[in-house]
Amino acid sequence: MAEGILVIIENNGEQVNRLAWEALTGAQTFAAEVGQPVYAAVPGKSVASLAEEVAGKKLDKVYVLEDDKLQNYTPDGYTAALKQLIDSVQPAYVFFGHSYQVRDYAPKLATVCERPMLSDVIGYRMENGKPVFVRQMFSGKFSADFTFEGEAPYFVSFQAGTFNADELQDGKADVETFSLDLSGVEIRTEVLDIFQGVKKEVDLSKAEVIVSAGRGLKEKDNLKLVFDLAEALGGEVAASRPVCDDGWLPVDRQIGSSGQTVAPKLYLAVGISGAIQHVVGMKGSKYIVAINKDPHAPIFEIADVGVVADLFEVVPELTKAIKEAKAA
Amino acid sequence: MKIAILLKQVPVKDAQLKVNGDGTWIDESDVTFEINESDHYGLEEALRLKEKHGGEVVVVSMGPERTKEAIKQALAKGADRAIYINDDGVRSADPVINAKILAAALKPENFDLVLSGLQSDDLGHGQTGVIVAELLGMAHATIVMETDVKDGKIKVKRELESGWFQYVEIPLPAMLTIQSGLNQIRYATIKGIMAAKRKEIKEVTPADLGLDAAELQSPGVKLHKMYVPVKTKETVILEGDPKEIVSQLVEKLKNEAKVI
Ligand SMILES: Cc1cc2nc3c(=O)[nH]c(=O)nc-3n(C[C@H](O)[C@H](O)[C@H](O)COP(=O)(O)OP(=O)(O)OC[C@H]3O[C@@H](n4cnc5c(N)ncnc54)[C@H](O)[C@@H]3O)c2cc1C
Ligand SMILES: Nc1ncnc2c1ncn2[C@@H]1O[C@H](COP(=O)(O)O)[C@@H](O)[C@H]1O
């Protein structure tokens, strides 16, 4: 019978991805509740020392998956290797961190195993001994309860921050080299080049005050409202992705999973809905103010102060009032 | 080049949504819909690839009757024809079921390239394109920010985390999931809107595609209940008169955030 929680340890050959540590933390708690062992899989070319590091955590076994074909990550290589391990170990659950790499191959892996996957899960709870997994829907406007039906294994990827990797428990696990046979596996992806995008002109991580513009501003010309407000506060202007996609602001001002991560004293979000990919880049801010006309906008869930109003009415007033307060 | 774009219709970004009676979806009355954002960029990329390499762009879209509006919009922008899958009676929150139906519609067409959005704004699985690729035996690349087709291959720029990118090359036929922002989306012209009226929208049901009804009715994942998220933080809500809001907010910026 399928048993155990297999955690896939994403790494770049040198370091374990933080999201994988989070998934392992989740697996430790989950395992205690369902009374099952935890396994980890470390794929790569020479990952023995990473596997040792993982083995220092509380879990039952670490599998090393080494092959020349796993030197560079490719969906074909990873899918084939992990399929072989899953067929052999027969875990009940396969856990991942919801990283870009996992987005790229995990649905394929689940499909070749003829099983479904729940992606971007933000938590779980037990109901009558069965786990109910929670996901966001409609860009964070709602949460939804999902269960797996049918047979294991069940594939689950967890959103960044679902579990706190600082709570990872130490232990001592056996390390086993799993014998892979990738000789017949064709790797169709040729990896050409990995590089860092345009050099950042602004380092928003140093700003104490950030006023961030969202699509609620409607058009480029209206950005003046946030520039004026930022000036009054002596802060920098940042933005959500669509604002940069549309070319209203350069991408080095983008906050979020594909932009910068900031934690200023004040983050003032103007016309931003609060999609998780934005929130991960700013939720560490000391004080968050959100201005949004939709009382149900997800940004209000993480704001200290939520202003439910039309930004076109409030922002100019606010700029004026701040200038007056400063002059006083 | 024969290109398919998987296009989904979703509620407009700033729609104020309510959960429906049985708590499994939104109440769709009074909701306006639009083309899913990343699919819109995918459509634009498909049109640009066609303009460069010739061929045709086929919209493949599944959903209730309203979906045809999104299809017509895509045709008006320059897509050549559409396959519309009416999913009445099989609508599911299971990404595998949806991917199976889409793959069944794509398969007989033998596309050189299938594009999809990276993620739907409603279900948000971020899985459909990758599953479709696997079901069709195609190589794939996700979170694509740039495309370049030559010699039976496609070179793409993939977005990675924290400002990193990657170039990879895969053989055609291939499947790509498109990230928003990789191009600038065009508007439909009056001429395009007129021309769209004569373009084919082939309507099919999952049964027409030869799919087993029993299989489509037994999902691997099941959505039980949708609800407004539980707040994790004590948020002070200010609403009402803008002047009053502003004076309260300034006090807070002074005394709590300490930035004034
Ligand atoms: C892989 C991936 C990576 C991503 N990376 C990022 C990233 O790094 N950064 C990022 O920001 N996004 C990112 N996104 C996109 C993200 O999912 C959201 O689509 C995006 O953050 C939405 O931006 P927004 O809030 O400005 O726009 P919307 O979601 O359209 O929200 C606009 C808001 O403005 C409000 N509004 C409208 N008019 C007014 C008015 N007059 N007054 C007050 N409020 C008003 C609306 O109520 C709405 O809440 C990524 C997505 C994916 C899938
Ligand atoms: N019903 C559908 N009709 C057409 N395309 C779809 C449908 N559902 C999903 N897709 C495509 O798959 C992408 C990812 O969807 P999802 O896996 O739900 O996040 C979307 O951006 C669309 O391009």
Side-chain angles (χ1 to χ4, degrees):
Chain A
M1 208 193 83
E3 200 195 35
I5 298 121
L6 175 67
V7 184
I8 312 302
I9 305 294
E10 178 173 338
N11 69 87
N12 58 6
E14 282 159 21
Q15 253 189 336
V16 171
N17 185 302
R18 185 182 48 83
L19 292 183
W21 288 131
E22 291 182 8
L24 184 58
T25 312
Q28 289 180 337
T29 343
F30 188 85
E33 285 179 81
V34 294
Q36 293 192 27
V38 177
Y39 311 120
V42 188
K45 182 171 169 190
S46 38
V47 288
S49 62
L50 287 181
E52 283 304 331
E53 191 186 345
V54 177
K57 308 301 171 195
K58 185 171 175 245
L59 74 168
D60 297 87
K61 192 179 269 183
V62 179
Y63 293 96
V64 179
L65 274 63
E66 286 183 329
D67 196 284
D68 285 348
K69 287 185 175 169
L70 302 179
Q71 170 155 30
N72 283 325
Y73 159 77
T74 60
D76 287 335
Y78 268 49
T79 300
L82 291 168
K83 167 86 162 61
Q84 288 179 13
L85 181 71
I86 289 165
D87 285 349
S88 159
V89 174
Q90 300 204 11
Y93 295 89
V94 183
F95 280 11
F96 313 81
H98 190 65
S99 66
Y100 277 30
Q101 185 176 100
V102 164
R103 282 171 174 273
D104 195 58
Y105 78 89
K108 175 180 165 83
L109 175 62
T111 305
V112 300
C113 294
E114 295 180 48
R115 297 301 309 139
M117 165 170 170
L118 284 173
S119 44
D120 217 354
V121 166
I122 59 168
Y124 72 88
R125 61 173 194 277
M126 289 294 169
E127 252 175 41
N128 307 321
K130 203 178 161 184
V132 174
F133 293 96
V134 183
R135 298 182 63 249
Q136 292 183 321
M137 302 233 312
F138 293 91
S139 310
K141 286 179 181 154
F142 301 111
S143 292
D145 292 347
F146 279 86
T147 56
F148 284 101
E149 308 293 307
E151 279 166 38
Y154 308 123
F155 293 78
V156 189
S157 70
F158 292 97
Q159 191 174 90
T162 302
F163 305 107
N164 181 355
D166 294 342
E167 291 165 12
L168 197 54
Q169 299 171 52
D170 289 336
K172 185 82 201 86
D174 287 339
V175 177
E176 180 182 319
T177 300
F178 180 76
S179 71
L180 287 171
D181 179 7
L182 300 185
S183 55
V185 175
E186 190 201 348
I187 307 290
R188 291 170 295 182
T189 307
E190 195 185 338
V191 179
L192 302 171
D193 198 10
I194 294 185
F195 58 99
Q196 211 161 9
V198 280
K199 242 188 122 42
K200 286 178 201 145
E201 306 238 315
V202 279
D203 185 2
L204 295 173
S205 66
K206 302 233 159 43
E208 294 223 315
V209 172
I210 291 177
V211 180
S212 198
R215 183 162 25 207
L217 277 142
K218 298 283 186 305
E219 50 187 280
K220 188 175 178 178
D221 290 347
N222 296 335
L223 283 182
K224 191 172 181 313
L225 293 176
V226 288
F227 275 102
D228 289 349
L229 177 55
E231 199 194 321
L233 283 163
E236 287 280 356
V237 170
S240 67
R241 182 168 186 127
V243 167
C244 300
D245 282 351
D246 285 340
W248 301 353
L249 278 175
V251 335
D252 56 4
R253 297 210 175 244
Q254 182 175 312
I255 303 298
S257 64
S258 46
Q260 298 198 46
T261 302
V262 294
K265 269 171 85 176
L266 170 67
Y267 190 90
L268 210 162
V270 181
I272 291 178
S273 62
I276 182 63
Q277 295 86 3
H278 185 81
V279 167
V280 295
M282 47 65 76
K283 67 175 176 204
S285 306
K286 316 294 174 290
Y287 201 81
I288 299 170
V289 177
I291 303 176
N292 197 304
K293 65 174 181 186
D294 175 7
H296 302 297
I299 191 80
F300 290 136
E301 280 156 44
I302 56 143
D304 295 281
V305 180
V307 175
V308 181
D310 185 341
L311 71 92
F312 296 103
E313 287 179 17
V314 167
V315 173
E317 286 288 337
L318 181 60
T319 305
K320 210 170 89 194
I322 289 168
K323 281 186 188 153
E324 285 166 10
K326 281 199 164 177
Chain B
M1 227 178 22
K2 196 167 160 182
I3 309 169
I5 167 71
L6 301 182
L7 200 101
K8 191 175 194 186
Q9 195 197 34
V10 296
V12 293
K13 285 277 179 189
D14 55 4
Q16 301 208 3
L17 303 173
K18 288 191 300 270
V19 177
N20 70 2
D22 64 1
T24 55
W25 196 244
I26 53 162
D27 178 351
E28 292 200 354
S29 51
D30 304 324
V31 175
T32 320
F33 291 85
E34 65 186 0
I35 295 175
N36 187 55
E37 181 164 41
S38 51
D39 306 8
H40 215 156
Y41 283 97
L43 168 66
E44 178 64 38
E45 197 62 13
L47 295 172
R48 288 178 188 217
L49 284 168
K50 178 193 147 181
E51 281 155 10
K52 206 162 161 196
H53 301 281
E56 92 176 313
V57 172
V58 182
V59 174
V60 178
S61 203
M62 173 165 74
E65 200 63 27
R66 58 168 164 78
T67 307
K68 286 185 184 163
E69 284 312 311
I71 293 177
K72 283 181 192 151
Q73 209 186 326
L75 294 175
K77 288 189 182 216
D80 297 283
R81 62 187 168 91
I83 301 172
Y84 164 59
I85 308 159
N86 189 321
D87 70 350
D88 263 356
V90 294
R91 196 156 321 145
S92 174
D94 183 331
V96 177
I97 290 185
N98 293 324
K100 275 187 181 161
I101 302 172
L102 292 167
L106 292 164
K107 197 170 175 46
E109 296 265 357
N110 293 311
F111 288 103
D112 300 304
L113 191 62
V114 179
L115 304 182
S116 79
L118 157 72
Q119 189 164 322
S120 61
D121 286 337
D122 50 7
L123 286 170
H125 293 300
Q127 294 192 47
T128 306
V130 178
I131 302 174
V132 165
E134 180 56 33
L135 295 174
L136 297 176
M138 287 177 168
H140 78 266
T142 55
I143 325 190
V144 167
M145 290 298 290
E146 196 180 291
T147 66
D148 183 13
V149 174
K150 54 174 181 269
D151 309 328
K153 289 184 173 174
I154 185 160
K155 182 178 157 187
V156 302
K157 179 173 158 188
R158 296 187 56 227
E159 185 177 293
L160 304 178
E161 276 131 349
S162 7
W164 287 78
F165 295 90
Q166 175 189 48
Y167 277 110
V168 301
E169 196 166 74
I170 51 176
L172 297 175
M175 157 90 219
L176 309 178
T177 80
I178 299 294
Q179 170 66 299
S180 63
L182 91 166
N183 50 37
Q184 290 293 314
I185 294 171
R186 74 191 62 190
Y187 292 97
T189 59
I190 301 288
K191 214 174 121 201
I193 295 168
M194 297 310 290
K197 298 204 165 103
R198 294 184 303 274
K199 291 179 178 170
E200 180 197 25
I201 302 178
K202 185 173 153 197
E203 180 162 346
V204 294
T205 64
D208 297 335
L209 297 168
L211 291 161
D212 178 338
E215 202 187 352
L216 297 181
Q217 243 98 56
S218 56
V221 298
K222 197 167 161 198
L223 165 62
H224 295 268
K225 198 163 74 74
M226 222 167 67
Y227 45 91
V228 175
V230 193
K231 279 204 186 351
T232 51
K233 199 163 176 178
E234 280 296 325
T235 305
V236 177
I237 295 291
L238 305 179
E239 51 192 331
D241 176 53
K243 282 223 160 54
E244 238 156 71
I245 292 178
V246 164
S247 71
Q248 288 177 45
L249 186 53
V250 169
E251 280 310 301
K252 288 184 179 299
L253 294 180
K254 219 188 272 173
N255 303 326
E256 293 174 14
K258 300 195 168 43
V259 292
I260 301 183

